[in-house]
Amino acid sequence: MKNIYTFTLFILISVLAGCDSVKQMYKTGQVSDGLFNKLLSGYANNAFDTANQSQLLYAYNILNNQYLNNVNKYKNGTTLASKESLVKSLSTLNSFYKSIGNYGNATQFLNVGNVASDLSIAKLSAADAWYNYAEDLVKRRDVQSSRTAIGAINKIKGWVTNFRDLEQLEHDAYEQAIIYVLIEPLRTEGFYSGNFYNNRQDGFTRQIVQDLGSAWNNTSSFYRVYDNYTEYYRNMPTNWVVEPVITEMSISPIRNNKTVRTVTKQVDANPRDTSKIKNTVTLKANIITYETYVIASGTVEVRITDVNINQRVDRRSFTERYTYKQTYVTYEGDKNALSKEDLALLRPRQEFSFDERNLKEQVLMDIYPSVVNYIRNKVRF
């Protein structure tokens, strides 16, 4: 019995909710997809329900007029964007009409139109305009124009098949859209470099080439990267030259820092006294932390040049700092005031020393991810 009441209540709530949606439709002139589909389902289940017929016809007219208004907005447009928008609006209207056909005789009752022919004409017109646009871009024979042309060609392929000489145009665009990028060896500029940088040059470049996919295993993106060795031995073409340049690398003077933390502990002055009267004393100690450190800092500037037109594409600098420090901890005062945690912090003093090469290497390692990501974002399509 309880299940019957629950089901009845559910039906009642659904009916009331449906009534509210219909009232809102008449009040606002807005129709949701959910309400329209519900009215279509009602017609398919009972085509002789006059109330549902009236509501369905009213809802259909609202939606149909909205879609037709969008079509009319772009119908006489001559720009590329307007022709594309006309295809989109007609496609939406066509899908709307086709969806009604899934509900019995609703197509005949609503006197649904047919825009399939209009859609085909609009697609051909848009394809023709976008083809001419893509063709002009490809004729420029530069990377960016060809990459833009590929976007236009993809639109055309979504509208029509075997259109004009689209296959050849696409081939030419893809060939010209690939950037061949030479990564120069890392070098320094404006200060004495020393042997460290001379030894580091080739490894830095090879790592960039490897992480960007190299000239052979990178087939999914519109760029090919290689180093000087590849260019020389394989006679690779070059569109862009990327120069990673260390413009600053320094290590600060040795610096020191001292911090003092005072700790106290209350203890029984005479723990063997069994009387109830206790005499407590306060133990005190200072925990002293000595830090000795240097800061290594460096800047790598990446310069990208289009060698075909001898113009700078972009340049950007990346700076990082790395702090190397040694710490020792001691104390002054009563050791019994220290907790177990405090005792674990104690470190003996050691002579401060560092490897200058390792610090500079660390700075370059910290800069490297920014450099390779910057180059990747510049060359990829």
Side-chain angles (χ1 to χ4, degrees):
M1 183 65 71
K2 182 178 180 181
N3 291 337
I4 295 175
Y5 286 142
T6 302
F7 180 73
T8 304
L9 180 61
F10 174 77
I11 294 297
L12 180 60
I13 292 174
S14 300
V15 172
L16 291 175
C19 292
D20 288 340
S21 299
V22 171
K23 289 180 181 178
Q24 196 69 13
M25 174 185 69
Y26 283 115
K27 181 178 180 180
T28 63
Q30 300 294 322
V31 184
S32 66
D33 291 337
L35 175 59
F36 185 69
N37 291 333
K38 183 177 180 180
L39 293 173
L40 280 172
S41 297
Y43 179 84
N45 293 329
N46 184 4
F48 301 102
D49 185 341
T50 55
N52 180 267
Q53 289 179 359
S54 176
Q55 295 164 6
L56 176 60
L57 185 60
Y58 186 83
Y60 169 78
N61 287 332
I62 291 176
L63 291 176
N64 189 49
N65 288 334
Q66 290 176 356
Y67 293 135
L68 286 173
N69 287 337
N70 284 334
V71 170
N72 292 331
K73 187 188 302 182
Y74 305 109
K75 201 167 187 178
N76 297 318
T78 57
T79 65
L80 293 173
S82 64
K83 288 180 177 294
E84 181 182 7
S85 296
L86 179 60
V87 171
K88 289 181 178 179
S89 58
L90 280 169
S91 296
T92 301
L93 181 58
N94 188 56
S95 297
F96 173 65
Y97 287 161
K98 290 176 66 175
S99 67
I100 296 174
N102 297 325
Y103 295 90
N105 296 322
T107 299
Q108 290 77 19
F109 169 72
L110 295 173
N111 193 24
V112 173
N114 188 327
V115 292
S117 176
D118 296 316
L119 178 59
S120 297
I121 294 172
K123 286 181 176 180
L124 287 172
S125 177
D128 190 63
W130 280 90
Y131 184 95
N132 293 336
Y133 172 64
E135 190 175 42
D136 289 340
L137 289 172
V138 172
K139 287 178 180 178
R140 298 178 187 179
R141 306 189 66 81
D142 66 84
V143 170
Q144 193 55 53
S145 296
S146 297
R147 291 183 171 189
T148 304
I150 290 172
I153 291 169
N154 288 334
K155 291 179 188 292
I156 298 170
K157 291 167 66 177
W159 297 329
V160 293
T161 56
N162 302 321
F163 186 76
R164 291 170 63 175
D165 200 10
L166 188 63
E167 185 175 347
Q168 182 61 47
L169 184 65
E170 183 178 27
H171 175 269
D172 294 343
Y174 269 77
E175 284 295 313
Q176 295 174 183
I178 297 175
I179 297 180
Y180 291 88
V181 184
L182 169 64
I183 310 295
E184 293 277 15
L186 178 69
R187 63 181 177 85
T188 62
E189 183 178 274
F191 65 96
Y192 174 70
S193 60
N195 292 331
F196 166 75
Y197 302 103
N198 295 331
N199 296 334
R200 192 68 180 86
Q201 289 176 343
D202 295 337
F204 195 87
T205 299
R206 283 195 296 268
Q207 190 63 48
I208 293 176
V209 171
Q210 179 179 328
D211 289 343
L212 291 180
S214 81
W216 302 281
N217 60 17
N218 182 4
T219 57
S220 60
S221 301
F222 287 87
Y223 63 85
R224 306 289 182 267
V225 292
Y226 49 90
D227 54 23
N228 279 325
Y229 298 106
T230 308
E231 180 190 37
Y232 179 78
Y233 288 109
R234 294 181 178 264
N235 194 27
M236 300 289 288
T238 301
N239 301 119
W240 286 5
V241 172
V242 176
E243 301 173 87
V245 182
I246 303 174
T247 57
E248 185 268 333
M249 184 67 75
S250 62
I251 299 177
S252 72
I254 296 175
R255 300 172 181 176
N256 296 286
N257 187 46
K258 174 183 175 182
T259 59
V260 179
R261 179 169 60 91
T262 301
V263 295
T264 58
K265 180 187 292 186
Q266 297 287 332
V267 299
D268 191 348
N270 189 3
R272 296 182 179 180
D273 187 355
T274 58
S275 66
K276 295 183 178 180
I277 301 176
K278 292 186 177 182
N279 183 20
T280 60
V281 295
T282 301
L283 305 181
K284 181 179 179 181
N286 291 328
I287 300 176
I288 307 172
T289 302
Y290 296 93
E291 287 183 345
T292 304
Y293 64 96
V294 293
I295 300 174
S297 63
T299 299
V300 173
E301 182 176 274
V302 182
R303 303 164 184 171
I304 304 177
T305 304
D306 188 330
V307 296
N308 294 328
I309 58 177
N310 195 29
Q311 286 186 4
R312 179 65 50 80
V313 175
D314 198 24
R315 67 192 297 171
R316 186 171 299 181
S317 295
F318 303 93
T319 301
E320 291 290 344
R321 303 175 68 192
Y322 175 73
T323 301
Y324 173 78
K325 65 181 178 180
Q326 290 181 355
T327 303
Y328 85 94
V329 183
T330 186
Y331 72 95
E332 294 176 347
D334 195 329
K335 187 176 183 179
N336 292 320
L338 304 180
S339 65
K340 291 181 179 180
E341 292 77 12
D342 294 330
L343 291 171
L345 294 175
L346 299 182
R347 296 285 186 276
R349 179 190 290 271
Q350 295 180 346
E351 181 181 356
F352 182 74
S353 63
F354 60 90
D355 188 323
E356 181 176 332
R357 291 172 58 88
N358 288 343
L359 296 188
K360 293 175 179 178
E361 180 76 19
Q362 185 62 51
V363 172
L364 285 179
M365 288 174 59
D366 292 343
I367 291 176
Y368 177 80
S370 298
V371 169
V372 73
N373 287 334
Y374 165 70
I375 297 173
R376 178 183 291 112
N377 288 333
K378 282 296 177 182
V379 302
R380 70 182 178 184
F381 177 43

